[in-house]
Amino acid sequence: MTGVLDSVNQRTQLVGQNRLELLTFRLMGRQRYGINVFKVKEVLQCPKLTSMPNLNPLVKGVAHIRGQTISVIDLSLAIGGRPTTDIDKCFVVISEFNRTIQGFLVSSVERIINMHWESILPPPDGAGKANYLTAVTNIDNELVEILDVEKILAEIAPVDEQMDESIGQEIAEAETEKEIVRRILIADDSTVARKQVERAIVSIGFEAVSVKDGKEAYDKLVEMAAEGSIYDQISLVISDIEMPEMDGYTLTAEIRRNSDLKDLYVILHSSLSGVFNQAMVERVGANSFIAKFNPDELGNAVKTALTK
């Protein structure tokens, strides 16, 4: 256990070709779960938690850690399970998602496993608590569930999804000088994140073509390109980075290798805001990176893509 806890911070910089490392843990039961180490800042024995008025019921309390006040979310309760008990024996996974730092209370932490994204699969139809899953994988002949953390955080602290109307107006004004295809491909394994982007894009007059992972996105693009010029069908791609089967880095690299797709504008849109690797984004050929989720920043990135 000490080895796992001591090694987390040293391994958060992993960025590879369609690879990831999962930190596995358990909640109030036998089911194993995983979180990408890239999003983990620290794992520690649960510190003293302080209750505060008007906290969301899913927040167990706040902890003062290294000069910061961090909300600690009961992860078991957040996905519809039993409240976590024996807190003194539990652990807190400190992570950074969507520009915020929060702690997730878990019953136990196991180990870090290096995997290929091709081994990370969409959740099967009918899986328990499926609405809180983005993916599943098999480790040691045991199902490991990867939770939709963005859905959990959106339920605790909803974000404004509406773009500034002026962004849409500026794009419309640019159409007087050049033709703009008002269709955008969106790839994201999180249902909540995908819907957030869809609603923001639609609010400024675009049609969204949505898919659940990088492989589905690439297959869709190839299918569209077989029917005619891809540039007459979509204006750009907005892709998450972490996705089952094919991640956003690999999707971008595959787009650049395909002669029918290579000039598509690609925006990587990820919750990996704290440890984002600019060198990797440039290496695979993405045009820009936007941390989730600020609709105006996303809208301005779209405007830049369409009006440059």
Side-chain angles (χ1 to χ4, degrees):
M1 174 59 67
T2 302
V4 170
L5 303 186
D6 290 345
S7 66
V8 165
N9 279 341
Q10 300 171 20
R11 305 174 74 145
T12 57
Q13 298 305 313
L14 176 76
V15 179
Q17 287 288 352
N18 219 31
R19 298 195 69 86
L20 79 159
E21 286 186 318
L22 284 181
L23 173 66
T24 60
F25 58 90
R26 296 184 193 264
L27 303 177
M28 293 293 291
R30 299 182 61 183
Q31 176 62 51
R32 293 173 79 185
Y33 298 92
I35 185 173
N36 192 340
V37 171
F38 202 36
K39 292 182 176 177
V40 175
K41 297 176 71 67
E42 187 176 6
V43 178
L44 66 160
Q45 195 86 36
C46 186
K48 179 181 178 182
L49 300 182
T50 302
S51 295
M52 298 183 68
N54 303 318
L55 283 179
N56 186 287
L58 301 178
V59 177
K60 204 76 173 179
V62 298
H64 301 284
I65 301 171
R66 310 199 192 292
Q68 287 185 294
T69 300
I70 296 174
S71 296
V72 176
I73 297 164
D74 186 340
L75 200 50
S76 176
L77 190 60
I79 64 171
R82 292 177 290 147
T84 302
T85 56
D86 296 327
I87 293 178
D88 292 342
K89 299 178 182 178
C90 293
F91 295 85
V92 174
V93 178
I94 307 297
S95 66
E96 183 161 358
F97 282 83
N98 300 357
R99 311 172 192 237
T100 64
I101 296 174
Q102 52 279 309
F104 296 112
L105 185 66
V106 303
S107 297
S108 63
V109 176
E110 296 183 339
R111 59 192 174 111
I112 293 172
I113 300 169
N114 189 304
M115 301 194 70
H116 200 283
W117 272 110
E118 289 179 354
S119 301
I120 309 297
L121 304 174
D125 293 337
K129 303 186 182 70
N131 58 328
Y132 284 101
L133 301 185
T134 60
V136 297
T137 191
N138 187 295
I139 298 174
D140 302 330
N141 294 317
E142 186 177 356
L143 182 72
V144 175
E145 299 182 345
I146 300 172
L147 295 172
D148 188 346
V149 175
E150 290 170 75
K151 176 179 174 62
I152 294 168
L153 295 178
E155 291 178 352
I156 293 172
V159 298
D160 183 4
E161 300 171 355
Q162 198 74 16
M163 280 188 192
D164 187 323
E165 291 181 0
S166 66
I167 295 172
Q169 292 168 358
E170 290 169 9
I171 292 174
E173 289 169 5
E175 285 185 293
T176 61
E177 299 180 10
K178 58 184 289 190
E179 184 177 354
I180 292 176
V181 178
R182 285 186 166 268
R183 202 175 185 209
I184 294 174
L185 180 72
I186 299 166
D188 202 307
D189 61 328
S190 167
T191 302
V192 165
R194 196 165 60 246
K195 293 295 184 183
Q196 285 175 336
V197 178
E198 284 178 12
R199 285 190 283 266
I201 291 301
V202 169
S203 75
I204 56 170
F206 281 78
E207 177 188 350
V209 179
S210 297
V211 295
K212 299 186 291 296
D213 57 58
K215 183 178 184 302
E216 189 177 342
Y218 185 73
D219 290 347
K220 181 68 174 177
L221 290 171
V222 169
E223 176 187 323
M224 293 170 72
E227 298 173 355
S229 172
I230 192 67
Y231 311 107
D232 294 332
Q233 299 178 67
I234 65 168
S235 55
L236 59 98
V237 174
I238 300 173
S239 175
D240 187 19
I241 291 177
E242 291 185 286
M243 295 180 289
E245 298 196 84
M246 181 187 288
D247 67 17
Y249 291 134
T250 306
L251 170 62
T252 305
E254 290 298 319
I255 288 172
R256 297 295 177 244
R257 280 193 281 264
N258 188 313
S259 60
D260 293 328
L261 309 174
K262 63 184 179 65
D263 294 325
L264 272 173
Y265 197 100
V266 178
I267 298 172
L268 291 178
H269 185 234
S270 175
S271 58
L272 295 171
S273 54
V275 285
F276 162 66
N277 190 317
Q278 180 69 42
M280 184 63 179
V281 170
E282 293 174 355
R283 189 174 79 172
V284 298
N287 297 92
S288 66
F289 168 86
I290 303 294
K292 293 179 180 176
F293 173 72
N294 182 305
D296 289 347
E297 285 189 10
L298 181 60
N300 282 319
V302 170
K303 181 180 71 175
T304 297
L306 299 177
T307 60
K308 69 184 184 70

